[in-house]
Amino acid sequence: QVQLLESGGELVQTGDSLRLSCLASGRTFSSYAMGWFRQAPGKEREFVAAISTNGGNTYYSDSVKGRFTISRDNAKNTVFLQMNSLKPEDTAVYYCAVDFVYRSASISRGNYAYWGQGTQVTVSS
């Protein structure tokens, strides 16, 4: 079983930057693609970004493309989400998860499991 712990969320202003981290337990972290999702109040959890096992492939939702960057450090069992030019609509709880279907990563929520507890990102206008 994989346990995930997100951190880095906080209250920021429009235009600010944040870097989220997701620390994974277990020795097989480098075998799994990883993803970030987010859920705003009253909305469904949505895909944000994903990264393949070796970091060679990345995917982004249209709403964050060009502003967010996903990366990973397999030696530290950690995946990151660098968020720049934050907007109020980025306000949500951000979750990381393990992609159990595709090593090259995917965008479908159904391919992910072992969700972390989430970290709150609030962007004030």
Side-chain angles (χ1 to χ4, degrees):
Q1 186 171 354
V2 178
Q3 292 185 326
L4 304 173
L5 181 64
E6 303 95 337
S7 62
E10 61 181 87
L11 172 63
V12 297
Q13 295 185 341
T14 297
D16 284 352
S17 297
L18 274 179
R19 189 174 82 154
L20 305 184
S21 300
C22 172
L23 176 63
S25 66
R27 300 179 180 180
T28 58
F29 174 76
S30 61
S31 299
Y32 298 115
M34 298 293 296
W36 283 97
F37 290 74
R38 67 186 182 187
Q39 188 166 17
K43 295 186 177 181
E44 292 190 356
R45 194 169 299 186
E46 64 174 3
F47 170 78
V48 175
I51 188 167
S52 60
T53 53
N54 64 1
N57 291 331
T58 57
Y59 301 92
Y60 299 94
S61 68
D62 289 341
S63 61
V64 307
K65 196 173 296 181
R67 299 188 298 123
F68 290 11
T69 302
I70 188 171
S71 61
R72 66 189 296 161
D73 184 339
N74 286 342
K76 296 183 178 179
N77 279 16
T78 303
V79 60
F80 304 98
L81 185 68
Q82 177 67 43
M83 305 186 296
N84 298 330
S85 302
L86 283 162
K87 304 175 182 180
E89 51 263 44
D90 295 318
T91 295
V93 178
Y94 284 72
Y95 300 89
C96 65
V98 176
D99 187 336
F100 276 92
V101 178
Y102 293 104
R103 292 171 60 89
S104 59
S106 58
I107 66 173
S108 175
R109 178 182 167 184
N111 295 338
Y112 288 82
Y114 292 141
W115 300 86
Q117 87 293 341
T119 185
Q120 176 71 49
V121 173
T122 303
V123 185
S124 65
S125 57

